[in-house]
Amino acid sequence: MIRALGVRSRLIPNTLRRFGSSLVIVEHNNSNVEPITLHAISAAAKLGSVSCLVGGSKCSSVAEEVTKLAGVTKVLVTDEQCLENSVAEKITPLVLSAQSKLGVSHIVVGSSTFGRDFLPRVAAKLNTSPINDVIAILSEDTFQRPIYAGNAVVTLRSLDPIRCLAVRGTAFPPSTISDGPAASIESFPLPGAEALGSEASDLVEFVSVEKHKSDRPELTDASVVVSGGRGMKSGENFELLYQLADKLNAAVGASRAAVDAGFVPNDMQVGQTGKIVAPKLYIAVGISGAIQHLAGMKDSKVIVAINKDPDAPIFQVADFGLVEDLFKAVPTMIKLL
Amino acid sequence: MSAGLRVLVGCKRVIDYAVKIRVRPDATGVVTEGVKHSMNPFDEIAVEEAIRMREKQLAADVLAFNCGSSKGQDVLRVALAMGADRAIQVEVDDPVSQKLEPLHVAELMEKIVNDEKIDLVILGKQAIDNDAVQTGQILAARLGWPQATYASKITKDGNFLTVVREIDGGSSTVKVKLPAVVTVDLRLNQPRYATLPNIMKAKKKPLTVKKLSDFGVELTPHIEILKVEDPPVRVPGIKVDSVETLVAKLKEKGVLPSTK
């Protein structure tokens, strides 16, 4: 199968190559589109025409939602029980099959744990080098991405005929509802057992998923983020940040130190190995500002640091720094808002 | 596989996580000369997990792998001192090692998996230098094996591994059939320190050095690096003396949403 696709990729007509075309793999929960996909679609639109693939179970509302988005011309829908909780092994053959049908030059996903999980698997099957965390699209083959926890930015050219990109959501605006006609919807079958090859066998079984419930905005999409670090001293004290967050309609994040200390769950972690955020306002409370944390938030528009240590590195990136005990400063701030 | 798994662990040598890196003035990369390097932190977690499996007699052999310049042997000695049984390095010249892509590393690891009859590959979820998050997935795809990425808990269950994965918004659990590739997240374990006696013993453990030509592979470039630059710098901010001033400044900036 790898060989067959390799041949196909070389046969892509020049016209398609010149006018880039992309396939965006839609991330969703079977009823709603995840916001990161909206960012991925607007990034893909820079490359030419955009088709979307929605693989899931009872996901027709997701497909409908995607047809209305600006830049999308076609939506392929694969509605199968086995795709309810997409695992990389199951979604990879589906993506390969859709790529081969449409002959697109780019496969684009949002750089989330979902996108980064299967995209390299797809790329490997196409014998191309995937490119993660794209922050700028300079042309159809030239991209920028951060390396070394965001302390350097590399500009690179992909030499592959098909390019697999995971785009950083915060670097591209979200796609909005289009004024024009809705994109067409097409039902797309699961690839047959023959195309699946060894992937057809049950290599993997989905067991369960446990989502942390929160009424607050999504961390990666909030316009205000309040984060706590080791200085919070305990999980109970995070209540203070929740109160502040509620006043600001903000999401609550954390540094690795706070996660490792067990104050909050790991999916709240902001940083190189956690989530990347770029809100309008980021308030870092009791966070020293290690390189790994800064990697996740230094593109925020305005950064506020509240820390009692005047030498904390966080003050070097903060637009407004307040040297004060957070247990005094935060309650005062809540009262003032 | 009842006799215990043959485990391969990846050990990348990277600039130490605590170092503030500097971009080269000629924009070809970052300064690596005279800079402290160590094992990629995620790989330490991978090695630790493999050794724990060995201690529980789930693993029969732990083989540590590195690909890069000859200095990569230092991180393999660390893996051996932590408890790996043996190590293999694919040595490439420095200029080549700068251009290694995850795809290339996976290509070499695939050969080693086949040569060494490996049943389980444990890798870090990402290397902290290129932040790629790819090698494990690419290797799994090349081998046609299942993958379990961002693992925070691994349990062996007959011919399967049950893996708890850290994902956006929570966690998910999958069961993968062996042979498999697992990439590990920060919270899987706390890596041990190598003790002095073990560091001494590690010097006597087998470390095989191979060349690209031993595998008959040529690493075709898929990516050309045009330039490496500093990220945009932030304009220095100010310190405020009170919460009142802070809130006033934020209102002035217009970043405070209308209060509820």
Side-chain angles (χ1 to χ4, degrees):
Chain A
M1 180 184 176
I2 303 170
R3 275 188 209 100
L5 280 165
V7 170
R8 191 181 288 274
S9 68
R10 281 193 290 277
L11 292 179
I12 291 174
N14 280 332
T15 47
L16 271 178
R17 297 268 300 278
R18 202 160 55 235
F19 307 106
S21 56
S22 46
L23 176 68
V24 174
I25 318 306
V26 175
E27 180 171 356
H28 61 88
N29 60 5
N30 292 308
S31 46
N32 296 103
V33 176
E34 292 290 342
I36 188 143
T37 298
L38 307 182
H39 299 269
I41 288 172
S42 78
K46 288 173 155 256
L47 296 159
S49 74
V50 180
S51 302
C52 288
L53 175 66
V54 179
S57 170
K58 302 189 184 73
C59 53
S60 56
S61 64
V62 175
E64 284 291 334
E65 201 179 332
V66 175
T67 57
K68 295 177 193 136
L69 295 169
V72 179
T73 55
K74 182 184 273 210
V75 180
L76 301 181
V77 188
T78 312
D79 197 334
E80 295 282 349
Q81 181 59 38
C82 71
L83 293 174
E84 188 182 348
N85 292 289
S86 295
V87 289
E89 294 79 352
K90 298 230 163 79
I91 198 152
T92 297
L94 182 65
V95 174
L96 291 168
S97 167
Q99 190 284 325
S100 129
K101 176 191 157 78
L102 300 174
V104 291
S105 54
H106 297 75
I107 297 173
V108 180
V109 300
S111 197
S112 60
T113 52
F114 169 75
R116 289 195 306 251
D117 182 40
F118 74 85
L119 190 76
R121 198 169 174 108
V122 168
K125 297 283 186 189
L126 295 165
N127 193 30
T128 74
S129 259
I131 303 167
N132 264 7
D133 249 340
V134 171
I135 54 168
I137 295 174
L138 305 182
S139 76
E140 61 172 8
D141 64 357
T142 310
F143 312 98
Q144 284 186 327
R145 61 179 300 267
I147 51 174
Y148 289 95
N151 287 296
V153 174
V154 59
T155 305
L156 55 88
R157 179 182 293 141
S158 162
L159 309 174
D160 291 315
I162 302 172
R163 295 161 192 127
C164 294
L165 312 174
V167 300
R168 181 174 282 192
T170 57
F172 300 91
S175 172
T176 49
I177 305 284
S178 146
D179 311 328
S184 65
I185 288 197
E186 199 177 302
S187 167
F188 187 66
L190 272 182
E194 193 192 330
L196 283 170
S198 66
E199 313 276 324
S201 57
D202 272 337
L203 296 175
V204 59
E205 184 191 322
F206 178 84
V207 180
S208 63
V209 63
E210 189 194 328
K211 292 271 184 180
H212 298 126
K213 287 233 161 49
S214 170
D215 301 331
R216 293 188 181 81
E218 234 350 90
L219 190 52
T220 47
D221 223 48
S223 63
V224 181
V225 172
V226 178
S227 279
R230 201 196 309 268
M232 295 306 296
K233 292 203 170 79
S234 77
E236 289 77 58
N237 291 336
F238 260 75
E239 188 52 42
L240 208 53
L241 296 192
Y242 294 132
Q243 287 172 23
L244 177 59
D246 288 344
K247 286 266 187 179
L248 295 165
N249 189 31
V252 178
S255 69
R256 183 185 163 192
V259 174
D260 281 354
F263 299 170
V264 290
N266 58 274
D267 62 321
M268 283 172 64
Q269 185 183 324
V270 172
Q272 181 185 20
T273 62
K275 297 216 169 82
I276 312 288
V277 301
K280 277 203 274 189
L281 174 61
Y282 188 89
I283 305 179
V285 182
I287 291 177
S288 65
I291 295 171
Q292 292 77 13
H293 184 74
L294 301 184
M297 46 63 87
K298 67 180 178 181
D299 292 330
S300 305
K301 198 158 158 256
V302 174
I303 298 173
V304 169
I306 301 173
N307 203 306
K308 63 181 175 192
D309 173 11
D311 299 321
I314 190 80
F315 288 119
Q316 288 163 23
V317 299
D319 299 278
F320 302 109
L322 176 65
V323 182
E324 199 179 329
D325 184 354
L326 71 95
F327 294 106
K328 285 199 190 108
V330 177
T332 315
M333 199 166 172
I334 293 168
K335 258 183 241 146
L336 284 175
L337 291 171
Chain B
M1 273 167 239
S2 54
L5 301 171
R6 294 170 62 86
V7 184
L8 178 67
V9 285
C11 303
K12 187 173 186 182
R13 178 178 179 268
V14 297
I15 293 181
D16 191 86
Y17 73 93
V19 171
K20 175 94 180 75
I21 64 119
R22 281 183 300 130
V23 170
R24 278 182 203 280
D26 64 359
T28 55
V30 304
V31 176
T32 54
E33 296 83 7
V35 172
K36 187 186 177 201
H37 283 66
S38 37
M39 195 192 302
N40 179 39
F42 291 97
D43 297 350
E44 286 186 350
I45 296 169
V47 172
E48 175 67 31
E49 195 65 17
I51 296 164
R52 288 187 191 187
M53 291 180 94
R54 182 126 174 49
E55 286 166 351
K56 283 187 240 163
Q57 289 167 356
L58 299 173
D61 178 51
V62 175
L63 173 60
F65 166 86
N66 171 272
C67 177
S69 77
S70 59
K71 290 178 186 147
Q73 291 170 26
D74 300 350
V75 299
L76 289 176
R77 289 290 171 200
V78 172
L80 293 170
M82 285 173 74
D85 296 290
R86 56 206 180 95
I88 186 162
Q89 198 210 16
V90 180
E91 192 184 319
V92 296
D93 299 340
D94 234 356
V96 178
S97 83
Q98 308 276 332
K99 289 182 181 163
L100 280 178
E101 298 165 27
L103 199 65
H104 300 142
V105 177
E107 191 177 341
L108 289 166
M109 291 193 92
E110 182 190 6
K111 303 258 179 202
I112 287 164
V113 163
N114 290 329
D115 289 353
E116 301 283 345
K117 302 189 169 46
I118 297 294
D119 310 301
L120 172 63
V121 181
I122 310 181
L123 302 176
K125 79 161 173 179
Q126 77 192 75
I128 59 165
D129 51 2
N130 62 14
D131 284 330
V133 202
Q134 294 169 345
T135 308
Q137 294 93 311
I138 295 174
L139 178 61
R142 292 186 69 100
L143 291 162
W145 290 5
Q147 66 186 47
T149 50
Y150 334 121
S152 61
K153 190 168 183 230
I154 305 171
T155 36
K156 188 166 178 287
D157 193 357
N159 220 9
F160 289 84
L161 292 181
T162 301
V163 180
V164 180
R165 307 173 54 231
E166 296 194 358
I167 57 165
D168 294 335
S171 60
S172 82
T173 305
V174 292
K175 243 176 120 167
V176 290
K177 193 174 182 196
L178 287 162
V181 176
V182 178
T183 75
V184 305
D185 216 322
L186 281 173
R187 274 157 286 277
L188 179 64
N189 62 45
Q190 190 66 48
R192 70 193 65 189
Y193 289 102
T195 60
L196 187 59
N198 285 341
I199 292 170
M200 300 311 287
K201 273 185 223 157
K203 291 186 175 162
K204 297 201 181 87
K205 288 187 179 177
L207 193 164
T208 315
V209 178
K210 297 254 192 185
K211 299 254 182 255
L212 283 181
S213 53
D214 295 331
F215 299 97
V217 296
E218 275 181 54
L219 304 177
T220 322
H222 291 259
I223 284 171
E224 182 189 354
I225 292 179
L226 302 178
K227 59 181 173 187
V228 175
E229 299 165 296
D230 282 310
V233 283
R234 290 188 74 95
V235 183
I238 55 161
K239 285 216 174 125
V240 293
D241 54 2
S242 70
V243 181
E244 285 77 9
T245 328
L246 175 63
V247 171
K249 291 274 182 197
L250 292 177
K251 280 189 179 152
E252 217 174 280
K253 273 258 177 192
V255 287
L256 285 185
S258 47
T259 47
K260 284 192 255 182

